[in-house]
């Protein structure tokens, strides 16, 4: 009896695991063929100078729309791309696409525009990452000083020595580095000081908090202060309403990104938006 229960339990366990694995494998195949068929595309969300209320750059964000029209969130398919190794090719393609777009934006007169690109830790650890980065910059003609790579804080936590070395080498290419989702990864302040990064990106959760309670802005305030003390740029992500923008501005946050100003957009929409943007709070 005990034995059959055990077996039954085991069966149940492996069946549910089997479902999960099958689903993951199915999505991995769909992603591989979808990527080959051009179902992936990149959208761009403007980044705003809070004082001037002017766009100064954009973040490239990956999108996947399958043949039947369904959108799959990057939060769902990026982990699968990482797990399967597909992120190496997909990530290179995103980087090249975003660099191309930066060059086109410059040709259209946006000479000071910066381009931020998310980089997965799997890409970052790949032995040819630096070579890939260098040739993408060279072949697209994107000026490195206007390109920024976003790495997450949790990623910054693992293997500190490797990261410190990598960041120094990336610095050599002229590209800058932002720590994404900052405040969620609990990296120590002394460690942060050793990292050659240029910008901290306040996580959306802390931006949302700003208007939620009396002390809701304390973490955002701390990150802004930290950035100032370390000589780093600071950007707030996920700014959805004017009150958040005003408070961030009064705390001395120089940059912001969020639905209040603009959603991530396909390139044609981005150009239209740049031509006739009338940002909330601008003169
Ligand atoms: P992330 O890099 O922190 O990107 C910010 C996310 O917040 C984006 O979600 C963006 O669309 C969303 N967002 C921007 N403003 C607002 C706002 O005002 N309110 C709300 N509620 N959301 C806002 P998205 O595009 O779904 O991307 C999710 C995550 O997927 C990204 O987080 C990033 O970690 C990852 N990701 C996206 N594209 C890439 C990529 O090309 N490569 C890699 N490795 N990861 C990517
Ligand atoms: Mg990001
Ligand atoms: Mg983020
Ligand atoms: Mg995120």
């Amino acid at each position: 009896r005990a034995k059959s229960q055990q077996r039954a339990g085991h069966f149940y366990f492996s069946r549910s695991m089997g479902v999960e694995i099958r689903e993951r494998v199915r999505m991995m195949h769909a992603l591989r063929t979808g990527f080959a068929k051009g179902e992936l595309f990149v959208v761009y969300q403007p980044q705003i100078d809070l004082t001037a209320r002017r766009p100064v750059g954009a973040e490239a964000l990956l999108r996947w729309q399958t043949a039947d029209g369904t959108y799959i969130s990057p939060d769902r398919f990026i982990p699968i791309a990482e797990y399967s190794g597909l992120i190496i090719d997909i990530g290179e393609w995103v980087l090249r696409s975003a660099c191309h777009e930066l060059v086109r934006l410059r040709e259209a007169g946006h000479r000071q525009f910066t381009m931020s690109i998310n980089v997965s830790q799997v890409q970052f650890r790949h032995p040819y990452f630096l070579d890939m980065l260098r040739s993408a910059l060279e072949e697209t003609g994107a000026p490195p000083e206007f390109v920024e790579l976003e790495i997450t804080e949790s990623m910054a936590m693992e293997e500190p020595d490797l990261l410190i070395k990598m960041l120094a080498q990336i610095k050599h290419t002229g590209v800058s580095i932002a720590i994404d989702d900052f405040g969620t990864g609990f990296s120590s302040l002394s460690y942060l000081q050793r990292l050659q990064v240029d910008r901290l990106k306040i996580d959306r959760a802390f931006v949302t908090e700003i208007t939620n309670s009396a002390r809701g802005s304390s973490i955002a305030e701390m990150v802004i202060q930290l950035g100032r003390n370390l000589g780093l740029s600071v950007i707030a992500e996920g700014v959805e309403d004017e009150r958040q923008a005003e408070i961030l501005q009064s705390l001395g946050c120089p940059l912001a990104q969020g639905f209040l100003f603009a959603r991530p957009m396909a390139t044609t929409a981005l150009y239209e938006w740049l031509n006739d943007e009338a940002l909330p709070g601008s003169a």
Side-chain angles (χ1 to χ4, degrees), residues 59 150 180-181 201 203-204 237:
E59 178 180 8
E150 295 191 2
D180 205 349
D181 306 340
K201 219 169 167 181
D203 192 73
R204 176 157 64 88
E237 70 176 343

Side-chain angles (χ1 to χ4, degrees), residues 210-212 239-248 260:
I210 288 177
T211 44
N212 274 356
V239 179
E240 292 183 349
D241 65 56
E242 184 54 44
R243 260 208 337 129
Q244 292 166 346
E246 274 165 19
I247 294 169
L248 284 163
L260 170 67

